[in-house]
Amino acid sequence: MGVTGIGGLFFRSRDPEGRAAWYREHLDIAAGHDGIWQTDAGMTVFAPFPADSDYFDADQSFMLNFRVTELDALAAKLEAAGIPVERRAEWNTEDYGCFARIHDPEGLPIELWEPPSAPSTEPADDGDEGSARDQPGAGDDDRVEPRVTEIGALPTEP
């Protein structure tokens, strides 16, 4: 008997429909009162921070952290849509991965987290042929699209 995962996140909004549309458009999250978002399995950290923490905006009681793929491509997509993306080299580590920060339309801080890559299970490239992506005709069909995969969190406060 016990809790098995997060079943939902419910929060107040001045414009629930507009805010849900923003999450759907920019982060590909099935947001809204009737949205069901199937997330990828993975680590989720549930961590209260001290009231005086400067890890995120003091006027916010919480910050979302989303696990993502292709953080660089997602950041470029967001910036092209006019959404400021903050990145700092000191946020990135080999142990935890890479991070960026954005804010939703009502100012809620959102941390985008690309965990470190797992070791590849594909056969090693012997260098003679190049990878499949380097071959003529390898196209966008093989590309992994950037996406939010789950709510996550940085395990410890810096």
Side-chain angles (χ1 to χ4, degrees):
M1 175 178 358
V3 175
T4 61
I6 295 174
L9 177 64
F10 309 96
F11 51 100
R12 300 183 195 287
S13 177
R14 293 183 297 277
D15 179 10
E17 289 80 19
R19 202 172 190 186
W22 185 91
Y23 279 88
R24 286 190 304 269
E25 177 182 349
H26 299 293
L27 299 176
D28 297 324
I29 294 174
H33 71 279
D34 59 350
I36 303 294
W37 178 30
Q38 294 292 331
T39 63
D40 292 350
M43 180 174 81
T44 298
V45 176
F46 187 87
F49 276 53
D52 61 351
S53 172
D54 64 355
Y55 191 65
F56 56 90
D57 302 337
D59 64 334
Q60 299 289 337
S61 60
F62 69 96
M63 175 179 71
L64 291 175
N65 172 294
F66 292 126
R67 270 187 283 127
V68 305
T69 60
E70 303 289 329
L71 179 59
D72 291 336
L74 180 57
K77 173 186 162 186
L78 293 167
E79 288 172 333
I83 299 169
V85 177
E86 181 181 4
R87 299 185 85 172
R88 296 184 190 171
E90 65 266 20
W91 290 345
N92 303 329
T93 70
E94 287 186 28
D95 291 335
Y96 293 115
C98 297
F99 297 85
R101 299 250 179 107
I102 61 173
H103 289 82
D104 82 1
E106 294 188 21
L108 181 69
I110 300 169
E111 188 168 62
L112 303 173
W113 169 39
E114 183 174 22
S117 298
S120 175
T121 58
E122 294 184 20
D125 183 358
D126 63 10
D128 293 336
E129 301 287 327
S131 74
R133 292 193 192 281
D134 296 332
Q135 297 300 314
D140 293 344
D141 298 341
D142 298 332
R143 202 169 353 147
V144 175
E145 288 298 317
R147 64 190 179 101
V148 175
T149 60
E150 171 70 91
I151 296 174
L154 182 66
T156 58
E157 183 177 353

